[in-house]
Each structure stands twice: as C-alpha cells, then as structure tokens.
Amino acid sequence: MTDAPEREVAEEVSRVAEDIDTMEIRGAATIADAAARALAAQADASEAESPSAFLDELRAAARVLHDTRPTAVSLPNALRYVFRDVRGATVEELRESVRESAAEFCERLDTAQHDLGRVGANRLRDGDTIMTHCHSTDVLACVEGAVEQGKSLSAYAKETRPRNQGHITADALSEMGVDVTLIVDSAARRYLNDVDHVLVGADSIAADGSVINKIGTSGLAVNARDRGTPIVCAAQTIKLHPGTLTGHTVDIEMRDESEVIDPETAEEIGDPEVLNPAFDVTPPRYVDAIVTERGQFPPESIVTLMRELFGESPIQPWEQA
Ligand code: RI2
C-alpha cells in the first residue's frame, strides 16, 4: 500500500482489476496473464504528453491491479516483469516497450506452463489415480502432458468449498479423457489409499519451500503424508515469492462471508461469526516435490532457484509515486 496520489487509469485496467477482485478472472497464472495485458492496455490508452506522465499512469495502473488480491505472487511478479524492461526517451518508445514486454511475459507464461507439464507428466504412470484440490492450470498441464504421452489416468477431484472450483477441474479432466470422480472435501482421507499422487497448484511458494495454496491444501497434505501418498505441487517459477527471501510473510486473503453462507441461513442459525480464508500454508515437510518449468525440486531447495531468478531486492513499481 502507498500514499501516492491516485491517477486516472484506463477503463480496461479498472475492468480487469474488478474481474480479479470478484474472481471472474482467477487462478494465479491467469491473473498474471491478465495483469500484464492490462498494463499493455494502459500503455495503449495513455494520452500522456511526457515520458514521466506516462510512467506515472503506468505505476498507477500497477497499483490498482496490485491491490486486488494479496496472496498470489504471480500478480506482482507479472507487474515486475513488465516494468523491468520498460525503456524509452519518448512516450511512443515507452508505449512500444510496454507492449513488447507484456507480450513477451504472456508468451513465456505459456511456454513455462507447457514445459512444467512435461516435467510433471513424467511423474505419472499409466493407470495412476490422482487426487486434485481446487482448480490449477499448472496441475492440468501435468495431466495433459501425461495424456499426450499415452497414459490413462483416473482422478478424484475435491469439490473445494466454498467456491467449488473443483467442478472446473472435474470438467477439464473429463475433457482430457480422464476418468473423474467428484468428492466433497471431507471425503478426501477416505479415498487417499486408492490414490497414487496428490497434485496441487500454488498461489505462492515461500523461500523455505512452504506452499501457499487454496484453503484445505495443508489438511490434505497432512492426510496424504499419513497415508504415504506423495503430494506434488505444480507451480511455475512465477509463483516464487521473492519477498519471503527477506523475511516477509505471505498475506492470506480473507474473502466475504457470503461465499460461505447466505444471510437468511446465517440468521436461521443464530448469526455466527463466519471466517473465510481463501488460502493456507503447507509446510515443506509435507510436500514431496515442487514441479516447475525448470525441473522438479525438493521444497527445501527452492530457495536457490528463487535467488537466481529474483536476486535479493526485487523492484516494487506499484509503490513508486
Ligand atoms: P494456476 C487458485 O487460486 C488455486 O489456489 C490454484 O491452486 C492456484 O490459484 C494456482 O492456479 P484462486 O485464484 O496458476 O482460485 O495453477 O483463489 O492456474
């Protein structure tokens, strides 16, 4: 957060920010893609007459996008990536470099997910059964990779209360020809004995290898460890949280109670306090591997990759006035 004066941002930036906030646009990789495109839209729409005014507008747009949801680090990492390569002595040169940088980011995102999928696919064997939590495009890329290798898979898709994103996963897996069984979240332990791999995504990965993902991931991981079922996190390097290198923690988003219960039902049961954390933290000891586009890593060693990719002091363009 910052005290910088608010500037007018392009309509498209406001629309994307609203869609991220309401989760019309959701999933860490999809949010990153949308944020980069929104910066390009800001550059396109700018009527700034000086390079400094152009950059002020771009930072204001970054601030609006950054302040939507706090947990998925792919969003600030996307903003960092686009800003890092912005250069030019004139407004036109700056505009063009934002366009190029955003396009390059989106292309890299696609390539990274595809490469990650091939790594994750190698872990899966023909006839395996997986269990999924929430909806992660990085997880789906691993399954797609395995299917392309000719492997036949079955899946238990957890519905993932309160927003039931497991339904999106069930649909996507069925489309790929995977034999899908939908279960409620509390049935996960019951079926873990039949499962070869638990596959989850991530919204952020901390420097100690902790996985920050949709609420319920940590309980699933503890149960999987108890049953001896490997748990694999599929996460592009855009999910690595550079702030955790310098001791910052990852904010866990608290969402509206209306996602959990409607007001009438709440009243009928005595209007209890309702808490709706969107994410939780799974300690590295419960995670067998983090699969990225750069290969798979034991969670404890992810810090090496994080240092290589982000250094010690990443830029925070949304904090600059
Ligand atoms: P991909 C989602 O969060 C889930 O927690 C999912 O595991 C994660 O983003 C990563 O998604 P939300 O936006 O980047 O649904 O793998 O709250 O698609």
Side-chain angles (χ1 to χ4, degrees):
M1 287 288 179
T2 169
D3 293 331
E6 275 322 314
R7 287 182 163 264
E8 190 88 348
V9 298
E11 220 172 281
E12 177 67 1
V13 173
S14 303
R15 188 192 64 74
V16 170
E18 169 77 12
D19 283 355
I20 294 173
D21 190 45
T22 57
M23 293 179 66
E24 283 298 311
I25 296 173
R26 53 147 298 278
T30 308
I31 289 170
D33 182 87
R37 289 178 199 277
L39 285 184
Q42 173 67 45
D44 281 340
S46 175
E47 293 176 0
E49 288 177 0
S50 70
S52 68
F54 177 90
L55 288 171
D56 282 349
E57 286 180 9
L58 199 66
R59 289 189 202 103
R63 208 152 34 243
V64 167
L65 294 161
H66 179 264
D67 289 350
T68 50
R69 295 186 71 195
T71 305
V73 75
S74 52
L75 171 52
N77 282 346
L79 302 175
R80 282 189 184 100
Y81 187 103
V82 174
F83 270 84
R84 198 190 57 196
D85 292 333
V86 172
R87 281 181 192 81
T90 65
V91 169
E92 270 325 304
E93 284 172 10
L94 286 168
R95 197 190 321 272
E96 192 47 35
S97 82
V98 174
R99 283 185 191 131
E100 279 173 16
S101 184
E104 185 184 291
F105 174 80
C106 295
E107 202 181 307
R108 283 188 170 214
L109 206 57
D110 281 350
T111 308
Q113 190 164 74
H114 178 258
D115 293 350
L116 168 157
R118 293 172 70 149
V119 177
N122 291 337
R123 292 190 63 100
L124 304 173
R125 293 155 306 177
D126 189 30
D128 272 356
T129 299
I130 62 168
M131 184 177 283
T132 61
H133 182 63
C134 198
H135 168 246
S136 156
T137 54
D138 284 350
V139 164
L140 291 177
C142 299
V143 176
E144 192 173 21
V147 169
E148 279 169 11
Q149 290 171 348
K151 295 167 184 167
S152 162
L153 301 172
S154 308
Y156 287 98
K158 292 176 74 220
E159 65 179 354
T160 318
R161 278 272 291 155
R163 295 182 67 104
N164 292 327
Q165 291 109 320
H167 293 185
I168 312 171
T169 302
D171 188 35
L173 290 173
S174 297
E175 285 281 314
M176 288 180 207
V178 174
D179 187 11
V180 183
T181 304
L182 183 72
I183 56 170
V184 297
D185 295 307
S186 40
R189 188 180 165 86
R190 163 75 179 75
Y191 293 103
L192 273 170
N193 280 350
D194 307 336
V195 167
D196 300 291
H197 307 269
V198 173
L199 289 184
V200 297
D203 294 80
S204 283
I205 307 272
D208 69 350
S210 295
V211 170
I212 296 89
N213 192 47
K214 184 50 42 92
I215 190 78
T217 303
S218 62
L220 175 63
V222 171
N223 277 330
R225 176 53 46 88
D226 182 54
R227 294 275 158 125
T229 312
I231 173 152
V232 175
C233 171
Q236 300 175 56
T237 54
I238 189 88
K239 318 280 179 69
L240 302 181
H241 197 304
T244 59
L245 282 169
T246 48
H248 292 281
T249 51
V250 178
D251 278 357
I252 299 293
E253 177 182 5
M254 298 298 293
R255 294 192 62 84
D256 200 86
E257 66 179 66
S258 61
E259 290 183 346
V260 176
I261 192 165
D262 64 79
E264 294 73 33
T265 313
E267 204 183 327
E268 276 167 30
I269 60 168
D271 254 329
E273 182 186 13
V274 177
L275 297 176
N276 185 18
F279 303 100
D280 64 20
V281 181
T282 303
R285 66 181 179 279
Y286 294 110
V287 179
D288 289 273
I290 297 176
V291 168
T292 78
E293 74 276 18
R294 297 280 297 264
Q296 70 167 8
F297 295 80
E300 292 82 0
S301 74
I302 205 77
V303 65
T304 315
L305 184 60
M306 206 179 271
R307 285 221 173 84
E308 180 195 321
L309 293 173
F310 293 98
E312 299 286 344
S313 49
I315 57 165
Q316 319 267 56
W318 53 89
E319 283 185 358
Q320 295 159 2

mmCIF file of all heavy atoms in Angstrom, residues 237-277:
data_model
loop_
_atom_site.group_PDB
_atom_site.id
_atom_site.type_symbol
_atom_site.label_atom_id
_atom_site.label_comp_id
_atom_site.label_asym_id
_atom_site.label_seq_id
_atom_site.Cartn_x
_atom_site.Cartn_y
_atom_site.Cartn_z
ATOM 1 N N THR A 237 7.690 -20.898 -12.003
ATOM 2 C CA THR A 237 8.561 -20.060 -11.167
ATOM 3 C C THR A 237 7.961 -18.673 -10.900
ATOM 4 O O THR A 237 8.412 -17.979 -9.997
ATOM 5 C CB THR A 237 9.956 -19.902 -11.808
ATOM 6 O OG1 THR A 237 9.802 -19.413 -13.147
ATOM 7 C CG2 THR A 237 10.692 -21.227 -11.844
ATOM 8 N N ILE A 238 6.949 -18.293 -11.657
ATOM 9 C CA ILE A 238 6.245 -17.026 -11.399
ATOM 10 C C ILE A 238 5.552 -17.059 -10.024
ATOM 11 O O ILE A 238 5.179 -16.032 -9.474
ATOM 12 C CB ILE A 238 5.209 -16.779 -12.530
ATOM 13 C CG1 ILE A 238 4.588 -15.392 -12.450
ATOM 14 C CG2 ILE A 238 4.097 -17.786 -12.536
ATOM 15 C CD1 ILE A 238 5.354 -14.384 -13.163
ATOM 16 N N LYS A 239 5.407 -18.253 -9.455
ATOM 17 C CA LYS A 239 4.771 -18.390 -8.131
ATOM 18 C C LYS A 239 5.774 -18.257 -6.982
ATOM 19 O O LYS A 239 5.385 -18.352 -5.823
ATOM 20 C CB LYS A 239 4.071 -19.754 -8.006
ATOM 21 C CG LYS A 239 3.301 -20.222 -9.228
ATOM 22 C CD LYS A 239 1.946 -19.561 -9.329
ATOM 23 C CE LYS A 239 1.186 -19.996 -10.564
ATOM 24 N NZ LYS A 239 0.740 -21.370 -10.547
ATOM 25 N N LEU A 240 7.075 -18.122 -7.302
ATOM 26 C CA LEU A 240 8.063 -17.977 -6.232
ATOM 27 C C LEU A 240 7.964 -16.569 -5.657
ATOM 28 O O LEU A 240 7.962 -15.587 -6.410
ATOM 29 C CB LEU A 240 9.475 -18.247 -6.765
ATOM 30 C CG LEU A 240 9.689 -19.631 -7.396
ATOM 31 C CD1 LEU A 240 11.136 -19.783 -7.862
ATOM 32 C CD2 LEU A 240 9.331 -20.744 -6.420
ATOM 33 N N HIS A 241 7.882 -16.462 -4.360
ATOM 34 C CA HIS A 241 7.612 -15.173 -3.698
ATOM 35 C C HIS A 241 8.915 -14.535 -3.239
ATOM 36 O O HIS A 241 9.447 -14.884 -2.181
ATOM 37 C CB HIS A 241 6.691 -15.413 -2.502
ATOM 38 C CG HIS A 241 6.042 -14.163 -2.001
ATOM 39 N ND1 HIS A 241 6.755 -13.052 -1.613
ATOM 40 C CD2 HIS A 241 4.734 -13.848 -1.833
ATOM 41 C CE1 HIS A 241 5.913 -12.108 -1.224
ATOM 42 N NE2 HIS A 241 4.686 -12.563 -1.353
ATOM 43 N N PRO A 242 9.441 -13.553 -3.998
ATOM 44 C CA PRO A 242 10.761 -13.010 -3.656
ATOM 45 C C PRO A 242 10.793 -12.293 -2.312
ATOM 46 O O PRO A 242 11.830 -12.278 -1.646
ATOM 47 C CB PRO A 242 11.065 -12.036 -4.812
ATOM 48 C CG PRO A 242 9.762 -11.743 -5.452
ATOM 49 C CD PRO A 242 8.879 -12.919 -5.211
ATOM 50 N N GLY A 243 9.656 -11.729 -1.879
ATOM 51 C CA GLY A 243 9.626 -11.023 -0.593
ATOM 52 C C GLY A 243 9.983 -11.927 0.576
ATOM 53 O O GLY A 243 10.524 -11.475 1.593
ATOM 54 N N THR A 244 9.713 -13.211 0.439
ATOM 55 C CA THR A 244 9.997 -14.136 1.541
ATOM 56 C C THR A 244 11.501 -14.374 1.717
ATOM 57 O O THR A 244 11.928 -14.879 2.742
ATOM 58 C CB THR A 244 9.281 -15.491 1.347
ATOM 59 O OG1 THR A 244 9.727 -16.070 0.111
ATOM 60 C CG2 THR A 244 7.768 -15.331 1.298
ATOM 61 N N LEU A 245 12.291 -13.970 0.722
ATOM 62 C CA LEU A 245 13.754 -14.064 0.861
ATOM 63 C C LEU A 245 14.249 -13.099 1.931
ATOM 64 O O LEU A 245 15.296 -13.308 2.542
ATOM 65 C CB LEU A 245 14.444 -13.703 -0.467
ATOM 66 C CG LEU A 245 14.459 -14.753 -1.566
ATOM 67 C CD1 LEU A 245 14.925 -14.136 -2.871
ATOM 68 C CD2 LEU A 245 15.357 -15.922 -1.183
ATOM 69 N N THR A 246 13.512 -12.019 2.133
ATOM 70 C CA THR A 246 13.944 -11.020 3.113
ATOM 71 C C THR A 246 13.005 -11.001 4.318
ATOM 72 O O THR A 246 12.816 -9.970 4.970
ATOM 73 C CB THR A 246 14.013 -9.616 2.474
ATOM 74 O OG1 THR A 246 12.800 -9.379 1.747
ATOM 75 C CG2 THR A 246 15.183 -9.488 1.530
ATOM 76 N N GLY A 247 12.395 -12.139 4.591
ATOM 77 C CA GLY A 247 11.664 -12.294 5.848
ATOM 78 C C GLY A 247 10.196 -11.910 5.821
ATOM 79 O O GLY A 247 9.501 -12.062 6.825
ATOM 80 N N HIS A 248 9.690 -11.410 4.681
ATOM 81 C CA HIS A 248 8.258 -11.071 4.637
ATOM 82 C C HIS A 248 7.424 -12.350 4.624
ATOM 83 O O HIS A 248 7.861 -13.372 4.106
ATOM 84 C CB HIS A 248 7.943 -10.249 3.387
ATOM 85 C CG HIS A 248 8.552 -8.895 3.419
ATOM 86 N ND1 HIS A 248 8.021 -7.847 4.134
ATOM 87 C CD2 HIS A 248 9.672 -8.425 2.850
ATOM 88 C CE1 HIS A 248 8.783 -6.785 4.002
ATOM 89 N NE2 HIS A 248 9.796 -7.102 3.219
ATOM 90 N N THR A 249 6.231 -12.252 5.173
ATOM 91 C CA THR A 249 5.329 -13.397 5.098
ATOM 92 C C THR A 249 4.309 -13.134 3.983
ATOM 93 O O THR A 249 4.183 -12.006 3.507
ATOM 94 C CB THR A 249 4.587 -13.610 6.436
ATOM 95 O OG1 THR A 249 4.008 -12.381 6.825
ATOM 96 C CG2 THR A 249 5.533 -14.101 7.510
ATOM 97 N N VAL A 250 3.611 -14.168 3.587
ATOM 98 C CA VAL A 250 2.615 -14.031 2.509
ATOM 99 C C VAL A 250 1.259 -13.723 3.152
ATOM 100 O O VAL A 250 0.830 -14.440 4.058
ATOM 101 C CB VAL A 250 2.547 -15.335 1.683
ATOM 102 C CG1 VAL A 250 1.496 -15.225 0.588
ATOM 103 C CG2 VAL A 250 3.912 -15.671 1.100
ATOM 104 N N ASP A 251 0.623 -12.649 2.696
ATOM 105 C CA ASP A 251 -0.712 -12.298 3.210
ATOM 106 C C ASP A 251 -1.718 -13.361 2.780
ATOM 107 O O ASP A 251 -1.759 -13.722 1.599
ATOM 108 C CB ASP A 251 -1.202 -10.978 2.586
ATOM 109 C CG ASP A 251 -0.638 -9.791 3.302
ATOM 110 O OD1 ASP A 251 0.063 -9.986 4.300
ATOM 111 O OD2 ASP A 251 -0.908 -8.660 2.825
ATOM 112 N N ILE A 252 -2.519 -13.806 3.714
ATOM 113 C CA ILE A 252 -3.590 -14.743 3.356
ATOM 114 C C ILE A 252 -4.884 -13.949 3.190
ATOM 115 O O ILE A 252 -5.338 -13.277 4.122
ATOM 116 C CB ILE A 252 -3.766 -15.829 4.447
ATOM 117 C CG1 ILE A 252 -2.466 -16.644 4.616
ATOM 118 C CG2 ILE A 252 -4.955 -16.739 4.116
ATOM 119 C CD1 ILE A 252 -2.066 -17.515 3.451
ATOM 120 N N GLU A 253 -5.449 -14.038 2.004
ATOM 121 C CA GLU A 253 -6.667 -13.279 1.691
ATOM 122 C C GLU A 253 -7.864 -13.815 2.490
ATOM 123 O O GLU A 253 -8.105 -15.021 2.525
ATOM 124 C CB GLU A 253 -6.936 -13.437 0.185
ATOM 125 C CG GLU A 253 -8.202 -12.781 -0.301
ATOM 126 C CD GLU A 253 -8.433 -13.032 -1.790
ATOM 127 O OE1 GLU A 253 -7.665 -13.783 -2.414
ATOM 128 O OE2 GLU A 253 -9.399 -12.467 -2.316
ATOM 129 N N MET A 254 -8.594 -12.894 3.107
ATOM 130 C CA MET A 254 -9.862 -13.244 3.755
ATOM 131 C C MET A 254 -10.969 -12.755 2.830
ATOM 132 O O MET A 254 -11.014 -11.571 2.487
ATOM 133 C CB MET A 254 -9.982 -12.561 5.123
ATOM 134 C CG MET A 254 -8.914 -12.971 6.119
ATOM 135 S SD MET A 254 -8.914 -14.729 6.570
ATOM 136 C CE MET A 254 -10.463 -14.877 7.453
ATOM 137 N N ARG A 255 -11.866 -13.632 2.422
ATOM 138 C CA ARG A 255 -12.917 -13.233 1.492
ATOM 139 C C ARG A 255 -14.251 -13.094 2.219
ATOM 140 O O ARG A 255 -14.370 -13.440 3.397
ATOM 141 C CB ARG A 255 -13.004 -14.247 0.329
ATOM 142 C CG ARG A 255 -11.739 -14.216 -0.524
ATOM 143 C CD ARG A 255 -11.903 -14.967 -1.821
ATOM 144 N NE ARG A 255 -12.916 -14.409 -2.677
ATOM 145 C CZ ARG A 255 -12.724 -13.379 -3.520
ATOM 146 N NH1 ARG A 255 -11.532 -12.812 -3.610
ATOM 147 N NH2 ARG A 255 -13.716 -12.930 -4.269
ATOM 148 N N ASP A 256 -15.236 -12.607 1.471
ATOM 149 C CA ASP A 256 -16.526 -12.275 2.075
ATOM 150 C C ASP A 256 -17.250 -13.511 2.609
ATOM 151 O O ASP A 256 -17.187 -14.590 2.010
ATOM 152 C CB ASP A 256 -17.406 -11.584 1.021
ATOM 153 C CG ASP A 256 -18.515 -10.806 1.670
ATOM 154 O OD1 ASP A 256 -18.276 -9.655 2.036
ATOM 155 O OD2 ASP A 256 -19.615 -11.389 1.840
ATOM 156 N N GLU A 257 -17.957 -13.325 3.734
ATOM 157 C CA GLU A 257 -18.657 -14.470 4.335
ATOM 158 C C GLU A 257 -19.800 -14.961 3.457
ATOM 159 O O GLU A 257 -20.223 -16.116 3.582
ATOM 160 C CB GLU A 257 -19.163 -14.130 5.738
ATOM 161 C CG GLU A 257 -20.239 -13.056 5.806
ATOM 162 C CD GLU A 257 -20.692 -12.805 7.246
ATOM 163 O OE1 GLU A 257 -19.874 -12.322 8.040
ATOM 164 O OE2 GLU A 257 -21.857 -13.115 7.545
ATOM 165 N N SER A 258 -20.277 -14.126 2.539
ATOM 166 C CA SER A 258 -21.381 -14.558 1.672
ATOM 167 C C SER A 258 -20.971 -15.737 0.779
ATOM 168 O O SER A 258 -21.825 -16.439 0.245
ATOM 169 C CB SER A 258 -21.870 -13.397 0.805
ATOM 170 O OG SER A 258 -20.800 -12.953 -0.008
ATOM 171 N N GLU A 259 -19.647 -15.949 0.615
ATOM 172 C CA GLU A 259 -19.210 -17.121 -0.163
ATOM 173 C C GLU A 259 -19.458 -18.414 0.620
ATOM 174 O O GLU A 259 -19.515 -19.500 0.056
ATOM 175 C CB GLU A 259 -17.707 -17.021 -0.489
ATOM 176 C CG GLU A 259 -17.370 -15.928 -1.496
ATOM 177 C CD GLU A 259 -15.894 -15.885 -1.851
ATOM 178 O OE1 GLU A 259 -15.079 -16.506 -1.142
ATOM 179 O OE2 GLU A 259 -15.556 -15.223 -2.842
ATOM 180 N N VAL A 260 -19.574 -18.284 1.947
ATOM 181 C CA VAL A 260 -19.716 -19.469 2.805
ATOM 182 C C VAL A 260 -21.183 -19.764 3.103
ATOM 183 O O VAL A 260 -21.611 -20.921 3.103
ATOM 184 C CB VAL A 260 -18.926 -19.252 4.127
ATOM 185 C CG1 VAL A 260 -19.131 -20.414 5.094
ATOM 186 C CG2 VAL A 260 -17.444 -19.042 3.838
ATOM 187 N N ILE A 261 -21.945 -18.691 3.352
ATOM 188 C CA ILE A 261 -23.337 -18.893 3.780
ATOM 189 C C ILE A 261 -24.170 -17.674 3.360
ATOM 190 O O ILE A 261 -23.664 -16.548 3.398
ATOM 191 C CB ILE A 261 -23.395 -19.120 5.325
ATOM 192 C CG1 ILE A 261 -24.752 -19.616 5.773
ATOM 193 C CG2 ILE A 261 -22.957 -17.886 6.096
ATOM 194 C CD1 ILE A 261 -24.735 -20.184 7.210
ATOM 195 N N ASP A 262 -25.433 -17.912 2.957
ATOM 196 C CA ASP A 262 -26.263 -16.762 2.594
ATOM 197 C C ASP A 262 -26.843 -16.143 3.873
ATOM 198 O O ASP A 262 -26.971 -16.822 4.899
ATOM 199 C CB ASP A 262 -27.362 -17.180 1.599
ATOM 200 C CG ASP A 262 -28.320 -18.161 2.213
ATOM 201 O OD1 ASP A 262 -29.202 -17.728 2.978
ATOM 202 O OD2 ASP A 262 -28.160 -19.380 1.957
ATOM 203 N N PRO A 263 -27.194 -14.857 3.814
ATOM 204 C CA PRO A 263 -27.614 -14.141 5.027
ATOM 205 C C PRO A 263 -28.818 -14.783 5.721
ATOM 206 O O PRO A 263 -28.868 -14.841 6.951
ATOM 207 C CB PRO A 263 -27.965 -12.737 4.527
ATOM 208 C CG PRO A 263 -27.310 -12.618 3.199
ATOM 209 C CD PRO A 263 -27.128 -13.978 2.643
ATOM 210 N N GLU A 264 -29.800 -15.296 4.945
ATOM 211 C CA GLU A 264 -31.003 -15.889 5.552
ATOM 212 C C GLU A 264 -30.617 -17.118 6.382
ATOM 213 O O GLU A 264 -31.053 -17.291 7.516
ATOM 214 C CB GLU A 264 -32.025 -16.312 4.484
ATOM 215 C CG GLU A 264 -32.643 -15.183 3.677
ATOM 216 C CD GLU A 264 -31.684 -14.569 2.658
ATOM 217 O OE1 GLU A 264 -30.834 -15.315 2.113
ATOM 218 O OE2 GLU A 264 -31.762 -13.349 2.433
ATOM 219 N N THR A 265 -29.798 -18.001 5.794
ATOM 220 C CA THR A 265 -29.400 -19.217 6.520
ATOM 221 C C THR A 265 -28.588 -18.841 7.750
ATOM 222 O O THR A 265 -28.746 -19.438 8.825
ATOM 223 C CB THR A 265 -28.573 -20.152 5.601
ATOM 224 O OG1 THR A 265 -29.241 -20.259 4.358
ATOM 225 C CG2 THR A 265 -28.381 -21.518 6.220
ATOM 226 N N ALA A 266 -27.716 -17.838 7.602
ATOM 227 C CA ALA A 266 -26.901 -17.419 8.746
ATOM 228 C C ALA A 266 -27.816 -16.976 9.886
ATOM 229 O O ALA A 266 -27.599 -17.326 11.052
ATOM 230 C CB ALA A 266 -25.963 -16.293 8.324
ATOM 231 N N GLU A 267 -28.870 -16.214 9.523
ATOM 232 C CA GLU A 267 -29.787 -15.730 10.557
ATOM 233 C C GLU A 267 -30.482 -16.905 11.248
ATOM 234 O O GLU A 267 -30.621 -16.928 12.464
ATOM 235 C CB GLU A 267 -30.804 -14.794 9.905
ATOM 236 C CG GLU A 267 -31.402 -13.814 10.896
ATOM 237 C CD GLU A 267 -32.456 -12.930 10.249
ATOM 238 O OE1 GLU A 267 -32.322 -12.602 9.052
ATOM 239 O OE2 GLU A 267 -33.434 -12.610 10.958
ATOM 240 N N GLU A 268 -30.884 -17.901 10.433
ATOM 241 C CA GLU A 268 -31.590 -19.072 10.996
ATOM 242 C C GLU A 268 -30.736 -19.827 12.014
ATOM 243 O O GLU A 268 -31.257 -20.478 12.902
ATOM 244 C CB GLU A 268 -31.929 -20.048 9.864
ATOM 245 C CG GLU A 268 -33.216 -19.723 9.127
ATOM 246 C CD GLU A 268 -33.322 -20.539 7.826
ATOM 247 O OE1 GLU A 268 -32.776 -21.673 7.787
ATOM 248 O OE2 GLU A 268 -33.900 -20.004 6.875
ATOM 249 N N ILE A 269 -29.411 -19.738 11.867
ATOM 250 C CA ILE A 269 -28.557 -20.499 12.797
ATOM 251 C C ILE A 269 -27.867 -19.577 13.821
ATOM 252 O O ILE A 269 -26.808 -19.897 14.354
ATOM 253 C CB ILE A 269 -27.523 -21.383 12.055
ATOM 254 C CG1 ILE A 269 -26.587 -20.529 11.185
ATOM 255 C CG2 ILE A 269 -28.202 -22.453 11.213
ATOM 256 C CD1 ILE A 269 -25.385 -21.315 10.659
ATOM 257 N N GLY A 270 -28.478 -18.429 14.068
ATOM 258 C CA GLY A 270 -28.015 -17.577 15.171
ATOM 259 C C GLY A 270 -26.904 -16.617 14.800
ATOM 260 O O GLY A 270 -26.163 -16.163 15.674
ATOM 261 N N ASP A 271 -26.775 -16.337 13.494
ATOM 262 C CA ASP A 271 -25.780 -15.364 13.013
ATOM 263 C C ASP A 271 -24.389 -15.549 13.605
ATOM 264 O O ASP A 271 -23.841 -14.646 14.243
ATOM 265 C CB ASP A 271 -26.276 -13.936 13.314
ATOM 266 C CG ASP A 271 -26.745 -13.261 12.038
ATOM 267 O OD1 ASP A 271 -26.182 -13.585 10.976
ATOM 268 O OD2 ASP A 271 -27.679 -12.440 12.123
ATOM 269 N N PRO A 272 -23.768 -16.710 13.395
ATOM 270 C CA PRO A 272 -22.417 -16.908 13.931
ATOM 271 C C PRO A 272 -21.407 -16.044 13.178
ATOM 272 O O PRO A 272 -21.681 -15.621 12.047
ATOM 273 C CB PRO A 272 -22.144 -18.388 13.646
ATOM 274 C CG PRO A 272 -22.977 -18.696 12.451
ATOM 275 C CD PRO A 272 -24.198 -17.834 12.556
ATOM 276 N N GLU A 273 -20.275 -15.808 13.821
ATOM 277 C CA GLU A 273 -19.188 -15.177 13.074
ATOM 278 C C GLU A 273 -18.763 -16.161 11.980
ATOM 279 O O GLU A 273 -18.720 -17.374 12.220
ATOM 280 C CB GLU A 273 -18.010 -14.886 14.006
ATOM 281 C CG GLU A 273 -16.890 -14.182 13.276
ATOM 282 C CD GLU A 273 -15.628 -14.005 14.123
ATOM 283 O OE1 GLU A 273 -15.541 -14.639 15.193
ATOM 284 O OE2 GLU A 273 -14.761 -13.271 13.688
ATOM 285 N N VAL A 274 -18.496 -15.667 10.784
ATOM 286 C CA VAL A 274 -18.066 -16.543 9.684
ATOM 287 C C VAL A 274 -16.682 -16.101 9.241
ATOM 288 O O VAL A 274 -16.455 -14.909 9.017
ATOM 289 C CB VAL A 274 -19.048 -16.453 8.492
ATOM 290 C CG1 VAL A 274 -18.561 -17.309 7.317
ATOM 291 C CG2 VAL A 274 -20.444 -16.878 8.916
ATOM 292 N N LEU A 275 -15.763 -17.022 9.136
ATOM 293 C CA LEU A 275 -14.416 -16.715 8.644
ATOM 294 C C LEU A 275 -14.210 -17.421 7.317
ATOM 295 O O LEU A 275 -14.583 -18.585 7.164
ATOM 296 C CB LEU A 275 -13.352 -17.173 9.656
ATOM 297 C CG LEU A 275 -13.395 -16.472 11.017
ATOM 298 C CD1 LEU A 275 -12.350 -17.089 11.959
ATOM 299 C CD2 LEU A 275 -13.157 -14.975 10.866
ATOM 300 N N ASN A 276 -13.615 -16.725 6.362
ATOM 301 C CA ASN A 276 -13.466 -17.298 5.026
ATOM 302 C C ASN A 276 -12.060 -17.050 4.457
ATOM 303 O O ASN A 276 -11.890 -16.288 3.501
ATOM 304 C CB ASN A 276 -14.548 -16.704 4.102
ATOM 305 C CG ASN A 276 -14.535 -17.328 2.716
ATOM 306 O OD1 ASN A 276 -13.970 -18.404 2.506
ATOM 307 N ND2 ASN A 276 -15.146 -16.648 1.756
ATOM 308 N N PRO A 277 -11.043 -17.697 5.062
ATOM 309 C CA PRO A 277 -9.697 -17.551 4.492
ATOM 310 C C PRO A 277 -9.626 -18.290 3.168
ATOM 311 O O PRO A 277 -10.098 -19.423 3.050
ATOM 312 C CB PRO A 277 -8.788 -18.219 5.543
ATOM 313 C CG PRO A 277 -9.682 -19.193 6.238
ATOM 314 C CD PRO A 277 -11.080 -18.647 6.188
#
